[in-house]
Amino acid sequence: MSEIDFSGKGVLITGGASGIGRASADVFAARGAAVAVSDIDKDKTRAVARELGNQHVAAPGDVADETSVVELVATAKAGLGTIDVLINCAGVSDSFAPTLDQTVGHWQRIIDINLTGTYLTCRAVAPDMLDRREGSIVNISSIAGLFGLPYRNAYVASKHGVAGVTKNLAAEWGQRGVRVNAVAPGYIKTPMVQNLIDAGRVDETRIRRRTPMGRLGTPEDVANLMMYLSSPLAAYVNGVVIPVDGGWSSYGAAGDAAEVD
Ligand code: NAD
């Protein structure tokens, strides 16, 4: 993908302190972008921006809080000049509790971060992009935005919602030069998934068996797709939700998809 060059472009990445967001920061920076790293974890946000180098900035904030989103976008804009690309990686996992044991507060918090957070950041960066008639937004849905996953009501609803918001904004803003797309990762080896594996909520071997490629994804697998969708190579790609899941969503047969040890 050497033809992809983000020199002179400003990229804001939420959830940029860890996992897929952190990998995206590296991938965009390696192709010349100035990156504004944003995350609710202030210390990690600043540490990642420092690691990336001088032209990159820290814009910590909570995507679930509208005031905080306005502030973090202003900080990013002040540091970058323009925000040409928004990469929405901030998100949280579910509790895996039986539905009748879940609380409404738990539901609301996940919806607030994963769904409302995506909506708020899109709204906050859009006015400048629409004025310039140029911009690209990539949101993170999930295979949980394509299928049901028992015990994860809020997560599944939030990720279906992200797919819906993505299609909706693409239809509204496409003719004004702003493309909005989403990726739908399968199981990706990030701290979020590692914590679920460590807590016994996710069985790594079963996931590998269920995945036609026989392995979990890497954060870079997702970051590379996000970079492509943000680039001029995807100039006519708008409103899609693309799986990046090693074939998970293509598999419909009974039984294992791959032989693994
Ligand atoms: P991660 O936990 O490694 O990173 C998520 C980051 O989001 C963390 O740094 C966290 O501090 C930040 N964050 C959480 N709440 C926030 C808030 N309110 N405001 C700002 N930042 C906040 O997780 P990850 O696996 O890299 O997940 C990134 C995104 O990808 C999430 O939306 C997740 O749902 C989605 N996703 C992940 C997988 C996977 O298998 N890892 C699969 C599908 C979708």
Side-chain angles (χ1 to χ4, degrees):
M1 291 204 199
S2 57
E3 65 271 33
I4 298 182
D5 182 10
F6 284 95
S7 299
K9 300 290 184 191
V11 179
L12 168 60
I13 302 175
T14 73
S18 177
I20 295 167
R22 176 72 184 85
S24 300
D26 284 337
V27 160
F28 278 100
R31 281 159 185 83
V35 173
V37 182
S38 185
D39 203 283
I40 198 166
D41 186 325
K42 285 186 186 156
D43 291 343
K44 271 199 193 169
T45 304
R46 294 193 181 107
V48 171
R50 263 198 311 276
E51 277 169 37
L52 290 175
N54 282 342
Q55 70 176 121
H56 309 286
V57 297
D62 178 356
V63 296
D65 180 293
E66 188 175 8
T67 305
S68 181
V69 169
V70 169
E71 283 170 11
L72 78 84
V73 166
T75 306
K77 201 174 137 187
L80 300 176
T82 59
I83 299 171
D84 301 285
V85 174
L86 168 65
I87 301 292
N88 265 323
C89 288
V92 288
S93 172
D94 214 317
S95 67
F96 292 65
T99 298
L100 299 183
D101 296 343
Q102 295 172 6
T103 66
V104 175
H106 169 76
W107 157 278
Q108 193 60 54
R109 184 70 188 140
I110 291 173
I111 296 290
D112 285 349
I113 297 171
N114 293 1
L115 178 55
T116 310
T118 299
Y119 169 78
L120 290 174
T121 52
C122 289
R123 273 169 50 108
V125 301
D128 282 357
M129 289 182 176
L130 293 167
D131 279 351
R132 294 197 313 277
R133 301 191 70 79
E134 193 182 347
S136 171
I137 296 173
V138 183
N139 297 323
I140 293 210
S141 179
S142 167
I143 53 171
L146 306 172
F147 308 107
L149 297 174
Y151 309 115
R152 286 181 257 179
N153 282 312
Y155 190 77
V156 166
S158 72
K159 293 302 183 180
H160 275 72
V162 168
V165 166
T166 299
K167 293 172 194 173
N168 220 47
L169 296 180
E172 184 176 338
W173 293 341
Q175 63 192 316
R176 297 172 67 189
V178 177
R179 296 183 299 108
V180 188
N181 293 292
V183 297
Y187 287 89
I188 310 298
K189 210 57 177 314
T190 65
M192 179 189 277
V193 163
Q194 190 61 56
N195 289 339
L196 295 174
I197 292 169
D198 294 346
R201 289 178 177 159
V202 159
D203 181 332
E204 186 172 358
T205 306
R206 284 179 73 181
I207 288 166
R208 290 177 56 213
R209 289 201 182 112
R210 172 62 182 78
T211 306
M213 290 187 73
R215 68 168 175 88
L216 276 69
T218 66
E220 291 73 23
D221 288 331
V222 182
N224 283 330
L225 176 58
M226 300 181 100
M227 177 186 63
Y228 163 76
L229 286 171
S230 311
S231 79
L233 290 182
Y236 199 53
V237 182
N238 190 32
V240 298
V241 182
I242 301 184
V244 47
D245 62 1
W248 177 288
S249 55
S250 70
Y251 188 71
D256 294 346
E259 283 179 28
V260 301
D261 303 333

